[in-house]
Amino acid sequence: MTDAALDFATDPPTWRHRAWKMAIRLFRHRSFRIGFGITLLLVVVATFGPLLVKTDPTAMQMRFRFRPPSERFLMGTDGFGRDVFSRFIYGAQLSLWIGLWVAVLSGIAGTFFGVLSGYVRAIDSLVMRVMDALLAFPPILLAIGVNAALGPQVHSVIIALSVSYIPRTARIVRASALVVRELDYVQAAKISGASGLRIVWRHILPNSIGPLLVQLTFVFAYAILAEAALSFLGIGPPPPTPSWGNIIAEGRDYAVEAWWIMLFPGIGISLAALGMNLLGDGLRDVLDPRLKIEG
Amino acid sequence: MLRLITFRLAHAVPILLIIAVLAFLLMQLLPGDPAVLMAGEGATPQAIQEIRQRLNLDQPLVRQLGTWLLHLAQGDLGSSLQLNQTVVSAVAERLPVSLSLAAISLLITVPAGIMLGVVAAYARDSWLDAVAMAVALIGVSVPTFWIAILSVILFSVTLGWLPSAGYVPLSEGFVPWLLALIQPAIVLALFQIGFLARMTRSAMLDVLDQDFIRTARAKGVVESVVLWKHAFRNTLIAVLTVVGYIFSLLIGGSVIVEQVFALPGVGRLVVQAVLTRDYPLVQGTLLLFGFIFVLINIATDILYLIVDPRVRYD
Amino acid sequence: MSESNILEISGLTVEFRSGGRWITAIRDVDLTLAPRQCLGIVGESGSGKSVTALSILRLHPAKSTRIASGRILYQGRDLLAVAPGELARIRGSEIAMIFQDPMSSLNPVLTIGEQIGETLRIHQGLNRADALAKAVGLLDMVRIPDARRRVAEYPHRLSGGMRQRVMIAMAIACRPKILIADEPTTALDVTVQAQILNLLRDLREELGMSVILISHDMGVISEFTDKIAVMYAGQVVEQAVGDGLFDAPMHPYTSGLLRAIPNIDRDVDRLATIPGSIPDAARMVPGCRFHPRCPEALESCRSEAPAMIDLGGLRQTRCPPRAERQGMIGGRS
């Protein structure tokens, strides 16, 4: 037997193998399949839609105000004669974009603070008290406050929402850091001189990735809902921007006569949130059956 | 027990302090000169100078923070720039509206969410479970403001059953008050019901799997008693941990619902304040919300002490 | 049904659902229990002894378990067929059960008195105060000191051994005819184990109960029971009354279990255990279920599933080679 063959025989299953097994288990989960389908559909729409839609989502054609859905205007037109379908497609892009950024940023920052407070004992209580304080503001209110300070722009929405979800993410990472830190083999690694960073990288992060991923999926869903709410309140991306919340806010006064303006973006938001929630349910059941609390 | 409560209260002090500092720092985030921003476009230099002095913006940062905390300790949150009122009186004026809305909404949320979750857990994997969880999932996925508009179209515009906007104080009668608030309260409750139902279901499933449930059955306890006496009380302990979060969702949602239903509450006040760049008012209300949340969490912790015998002793 | 038995299990087959398939957990189990008898069921974990015990009161998780066939006759009635209301009446009053882990078997939010009293309130219609008063007496009976104070406490204040005593008090509250004890001492310290087992024996004599004691420990079984059934991979493989089983085990698995008892009288260098483990219920081996681990396996053991062989004198085995040898050596009298 050659050395290579020996290695193959004695090695534990590779991460590639484990990832494959995990994927199979995920796709056996019904919620995950449905959520994945919905999310994939929206991602495709948001990515390729703008390439296919010819109409400018902000172009006003006063001749075509309040046209109901037709072959020409799939979702009708709004009070300025803008094509709602085109606005819907660009709105999808913006919503998913914001959701993704919020999930990524709050994930990174939350992980940083979680590891910091779970690993560096000295500042644990300070960091966690700040997190508790941040947690005291309902996310949407915190976002309103931060947004008020930064001005109504896409990036301030992203920052505002990310900040409000950091504490929950940080708590999850800290919890697993606290557990992992005390494990025998981690203690052994520490004694044998492994650096703090290495322990974080090799032991703490891999152990928190499951619950973290579940959490971030729910954050994604909340961020989409929160962004829409902010836009609706007039504190989101400024009006000409085609965001789902903006379209609904503008269509609100004509909700009875021109129902199509606010109907489709509402369905879009619901679907996006539903898809992410289902994905999160599936991930939670498969990755971390013990984790019960979302959000 | 008393010691635990005292400990819990002491624990809250630094958090309250940090909240105050965070609310203060929010103003410092403003790009450029806050006084110029607040005065709005085309303001005279005198107006800008006046704002600067009123808000102590001409002093060093630490000094400003000190003054802010000192005033706070005296119950002074500053004055609104637009409303010719102190922040405290502006909030106090609108608080009854928000509290009424929150109270009714909570009274709907708790029984509905818990029932839905318990039923789903007990009928696990049946059609009843599927329906209950589909309802809960829709609750946490559909945007509140959208469902609010749809609801108004259906119940106010089309059917004409309920008013579409406005608030009637309790002093003008219980029924008019309830009629004005019932629609917004239900709309506001939907998300929390969904959240609570999902939470309750998984907590309940956890409990139903425990050995002591089997013990109860082995004793000859009938299923309904197993469910409500043995399983439910333990579930409630788990559910209690998210009560604070439910409140947080409720406060956040009320901002939106008050806007749609034109209810003159604190949530609407915040939105107005942001739109008119009334920063002291934004800061003050945020701070109050933060404080309220901390107090609610202390209250739930104390409730926890009463419900869970394990915490009570240890 | 023989008149002398209080409980008769026959042809009991129970299946579990696993990933959409039904898998046989126990197959064709036959057991009998006479009044005042102590039946021991012994086997490794996964042998199906707990499944058998839980079947008697139908305490399995309802959705993932089904009883495919068999009868459990209690005083002439089939427990598998009685209505839920009647079953609830029998549970706790005529047949009671205690479990392996006393730490998790008591409800953490109810006082001990409340939990013991509940049994009395259900079955004897006592009011809360009377039930509580009687609970104090029961705690005395299971030798919990300071019973009057203990009734008002919550389970988490008690040690494991104390909690198991509370479980026993709860079980005997209505003077049941049968007490099923599923690994009652496995989770406890060695010193506490003996106390609990002695308590069970004393209570059996005092109350005239029949007891089914389930354990993986041959030592416990040999000391406390007067009839033994050995289970392996979901089947009863040997049965005996009295000490015959220890003197001359009629199944290689029984021999293996006996060798696994640590014997402090003898100087043992190595603990003799049985190599290998119970085959996966989802992929049951053909032939005798024990043959992959059996040092005495013959070619025929690989293909032919052995039936229970009656050796007379209430002795049964599922090992034809040993039965044959028995016939050759001693013959049957």
Side-chain angles (χ1 to χ4, degrees), chain A residues 80-164:
Chain A
F80 297 103
R82 292 176 298 198
D83 182 5
V84 176
F85 182 64
S86 168
R87 292 178 70 70
F88 176 88
I89 298 287
Y90 281 90
Q93 194 173 40
L94 187 68
S95 268
L96 293 184
W97 189 244
I98 289 176
L100 183 68
W101 270 107
V102 171
V104 168
L105 287 182
S106 66
I108 292 172
T111 305
F112 176 76
F113 287 117
V115 166
L116 200 65
S117 116
Y119 200 74
V120 188
R121 268 257 163 87
I123 56 166
D124 181 20
S125 94
L126 176 68
V127 173
M128 283 330 279
R129 288 304 80 75
V130 173
M131 292 295 143
D132 283 347
L134 270 179
L135 208 57
F137 302 108
I140 196 116
L141 268 172
L142 189 61
I144 287 174
V146 175
N147 233 20
L150 298 179
Q153 265 149 7
V154 173
H155 75 255
S156 44
V157 174
I158 292 173
I159 294 171
L161 290 175
S162 303
V163 169
S164 39

Side-chain angles (χ1 to χ4, degrees), chain A:
Chain A
M1 196 189 279
T2 66
D3 285 347
L6 202 77
D7 275 346
F8 183 77
T10 52
D11 257 9
T14 60
W15 68 269
R16 205 185 288 263
H17 178 75
R18 273 187 302 167
W20 180 244
K21 282 210 128 158
M22 191 62 81
I24 289 174
R25 277 175 65 203
L26 280 172
F27 276 95
R28 281 208 186 120
H29 195 286
R30 195 177 47 166
S31 297
F32 185 87
R33 274 204 311 270
I34 301 172
F36 187 82
I38 294 173
T39 309
L40 190 68
L41 178 79
L42 286 170
V43 167
V44 168
V45 165
T47 317
F48 300 106
L51 304 174
L52 299 174
V53 175
K54 298 284 184 291
T55 346
D56 180 345
T58 54
M60 303 185 189
Q61 295 169 280
M62 288 306 185
R63 287 178 299 146
F64 299 123
R65 297 175 68 208
F66 297 124
R67 291 292 167 91
S70 63
E71 246 171 73
R72 177 160 179 199
F73 303 109
L74 284 174
M75 296 181 180
T77 62
D78 68 6
F80 297 103
R82 292 176 298 198
D83 182 5
V84 176
F85 182 64
S86 168
R87 292 178 70 70
F88 176 88
I89 298 287
Y90 281 90
Q93 194 173 40
L94 187 68
S95 268
L96 293 184
W97 189 244
I98 289 176
L100 183 68
W101 270 107
V102 171
V104 168
L105 287 182
S106 66
I108 292 172
T111 305
F112 176 76
F113 287 117
V115 166
L116 200 65
S117 116
Y119 200 74
V120 188
R121 268 257 163 87
I123 56 166
D124 181 20
S125 94
L126 176 68
V127 173
M128 283 330 279
R129 288 304 80 75
V130 173
M131 292 295 143
D132 283 347
L134 270 179
L135 208 57
F137 302 108
I140 196 116
L141 268 172
L142 189 61
I144 287 174
V146 175
N147 233 20
L150 298 179
Q153 265 149 7
V154 173
H155 75 255
S156 44
V157 174
I158 292 173
I159 294 171
L161 290 175
S162 303
V163 169
S164 39
Y165 293 119
I166 288 172
R168 294 166 220 281
T169 317
R171 281 190 162 193
I172 286 173
V173 176
R174 173 176 176 267
S176 51
L178 286 179
V179 173
V180 172
R181 196 181 57 183
E182 300 306 325
L183 294 178
D184 287 343
Y185 67 90
V186 176
Q187 289 292 327
K190 225 171 174 176
I191 291 162
S192 61
S195 72
L197 262 181
R198 189 180 156 78
I199 287 170
V200 168
W201 183 251
R202 288 281 307 240
H203 302 294
I204 292 180
L205 288 184
N207 270 288
S208 20
I209 197 80
L212 188 64
L213 211 58
V214 174
Q215 168 70 9
L216 293 184
T217 321
F218 290 122
V219 164
F220 201 123
Y222 290 142
I224 288 172
L225 289 172
E227 181 273 326
L230 285 177
S231 297
F232 177 77
L233 294 173
I235 315 172
T241 318
S243 106
W244 281 342
N246 280 343
I247 308 173
I248 294 176
E250 288 157 11
R252 184 191 162 190
D253 292 339
Y254 323 106
V256 179
E257 306 86 348
W259 48 267
W260 53 87
I261 306 176
M262 60 155 290
L263 184 70
F264 296 108
I267 294 174
I269 300 165
S270 307
L271 267 183
L274 187 71
M276 293 316 288
N277 277 328
L278 284 168
L279 270 185
D281 285 353
L283 281 171
R284 179 185 51 202
D285 287 353
V286 173
L287 294 182
D288 189 7
R290 283 156 299 114
L291 186 78
K292 298 296 177 197
I293 301 165
E294 50 193 84

Side-chain angles (χ1 to χ4, degrees), chain B residues 211 215 219 229-230 234, chain C residues 104-105 107 114-115 118 123:
Chain B
D211 289 347
T215 305
K219 282 199 293 194
K229 181 176 172 184
H230 290 268
N234 283 280
Chain C
S104 58
S105 291
N107 193 328
E114 166 70 30
Q115 295 190 58
E118 190 179 26
H123 297 295

Side-chain angles (χ1 to χ4, degrees), chain C residues 145-184:
Chain C
D146 207 1
R148 200 162 297 281
R149 198 168 53 83
R150 290 289 186 189
V151 278
E153 280 186 350
Y154 288 91
H156 70 100
R157 303 268 287 171
L158 271 61
S159 68
M162 282 296 164
R163 287 191 217 187
Q164 195 61 292
R165 285 170 197 269
V166 171
M167 284 295 291
I168 294 171
M170 217 151 76
I172 61 165
C174 296
R175 315 250 156 168
K177 300 206 167 58
I178 302 173
L179 175 67
I180 304 166
D182 185 3
E183 302 251 14

Side-chain angles (χ1 to χ4, degrees), chain B residues 122-124 211-212 214-215 217-222 225 229-230 233-234 237 307 309-310 312-314, chain C residues 54 59 63 88 91-92 99 104-110 114-115 118-119 122-123 154 156-157 167 170:
Chain B
Y122 195 66
R124 183 181 194 174
D211 289 347
F212 62 79
R214 190 179 56 191
T215 305
R217 291 197 174 118
K219 282 199 293 194
V221 178
V222 294
V225 180
K229 181 176 172 184
H230 290 268
R233 282 176 66 169
N234 283 280
I237 291 172
V307 179
R310 284 161 293 188
R312 214 180 301 162
Y313 288 105
D314 300 339
Chain C
L54 288 170
L59 286 170
K63 292 208 171 76
R91 286 173 174 177
F99 303 96
S104 58
S105 291
L106 289 166
N107 193 328
V109 301
L110 299 177
E114 166 70 30
Q115 295 190 58
E118 190 179 26
T119 319
I122 295 169
H123 297 295
Y154 288 91
H156 70 100
R157 303 268 287 171
M167 284 295 291
M170 217 151 76

Side-chain angles (χ1 to χ4, degrees), chain B:
Chain B
M1 181 140 165
L2 202 66
R3 229 182 52 218
L4 261 164
I5 295 173
T6 323
F7 175 78
R8 190 61 192 78
L9 285 171
H11 180 82
V13 171
I15 297 177
L16 291 175
L17 195 69
I18 297 172
I19 289 175
V21 174
L22 284 177
F24 168 78
L25 287 176
L26 201 65
M27 290 272 263
Q28 311 301 322
L29 277 177
L30 296 178
D33 187 342
V36 175
L37 260 168
M38 280 181 238
E41 279 166 49
T44 60
Q46 284 106 316
I48 295 173
Q49 189 56 35
E50 198 201 335
I51 288 178
R52 190 168 290 149
Q53 270 169 8
R54 248 177 77 188
L55 301 178
N56 303 317
L57 291 173
D58 44 1
Q59 290 172 354
L61 197 63
V62 182
R63 184 81 185 270
Q64 283 183 48
L65 179 61
T67 319
W68 161 249
L69 290 177
L70 196 69
H71 285 169
L72 192 62
Q74 297 162 343
D76 176 9
L77 288 174
S79 298
S80 159
L81 294 176
Q82 311 282 341
L83 291 176
N84 210 8
Q85 255 182 323
T86 63
V87 171
V88 173
S89 77
V91 170
E93 205 178 284
R94 289 159 181 82
L95 206 55
V97 183
S98 297
L99 284 181
S100 302
L101 179 65
I104 299 176
S105 188
L106 200 66
L107 279 179
I108 299 167
T109 300
V110 171
I114 287 180
M115 277 305 281
L116 213 56
V118 168
V119 165
Y122 195 66
R124 183 181 194 174
D125 297 333
S126 72
W127 64 269
L128 205 59
D129 180 19
V131 169
M133 281 306 102
V135 169
L137 194 62
I138 290 170
V140 294
S141 300
V142 176
T144 307
F145 61 93
W146 188 61
I147 212 77
I149 298 170
L150 293 184
S151 169
V152 166
I153 293 176
L154 179 61
F155 293 105
S156 305
V157 178
T158 312
L159 297 171
W161 290 354
L162 294 162
S164 66
Y167 172 73
V168 181
L170 192 53
S171 56
E172 286 176 30
F174 177 76
V175 177
W177 172 78
L178 192 65
L179 274 179
L181 287 174
I182 192 73
Q183 187 175 206
I186 291 176
V187 167
L188 174 56
L190 291 177
F191 190 94
Q192 286 81 260
I193 289 175
F195 178 81
L196 191 58
R198 282 153 63 85
M199 183 56 216
T200 306
R201 177 180 182 268
S202 63
M204 188 82 174
L205 285 180
D206 253 14
V207 172
L208 284 174
D209 260 357
Q210 309 258 329
D211 289 347
F212 62 79
I213 295 297
R214 190 179 56 191
T215 305
R217 291 197 174 118
K219 282 199 293 194
V221 178
V222 294
E223 282 304 297
S224 59
V225 180
V226 169
L227 191 66
W228 290 109
K229 181 176 172 184
H230 290 268
F232 184 66
R233 282 176 66 169
N234 283 280
T235 304
L236 215 53
I237 291 172
V239 169
L240 213 52
T241 55
V242 294
V243 165
Y245 189 58
I246 297 265
F247 265 101
S248 171
L249 289 170
L250 192 70
I251 294 171
S254 72
V255 175
I256 295 152
V257 169
E258 284 176 8
Q259 195 70 11
V260 178
F261 290 92
L263 298 170
V266 184
R268 198 169 159 82
L269 180 72
V270 183
V271 176
Q272 294 302 322
V274 170
L275 293 176
T276 57
R277 282 187 295 237
D278 193 341
Y279 293 103
L281 193 51
V282 176
Q283 197 178 31
T285 32
L286 269 180
L287 181 89
L288 277 178
F289 276 129
F291 278 19
I292 290 172
F293 181 81
V294 171
L295 293 180
I296 286 168
N297 268 337
I298 294 174
T300 41
D301 279 4
I302 292 172
L303 213 59
Y304 216 94
L305 288 178
I306 295 165
V307 179
D308 192 345
R310 284 161 293 188
V311 187
R312 214 180 301 162
Y313 288 105
D314 300 339

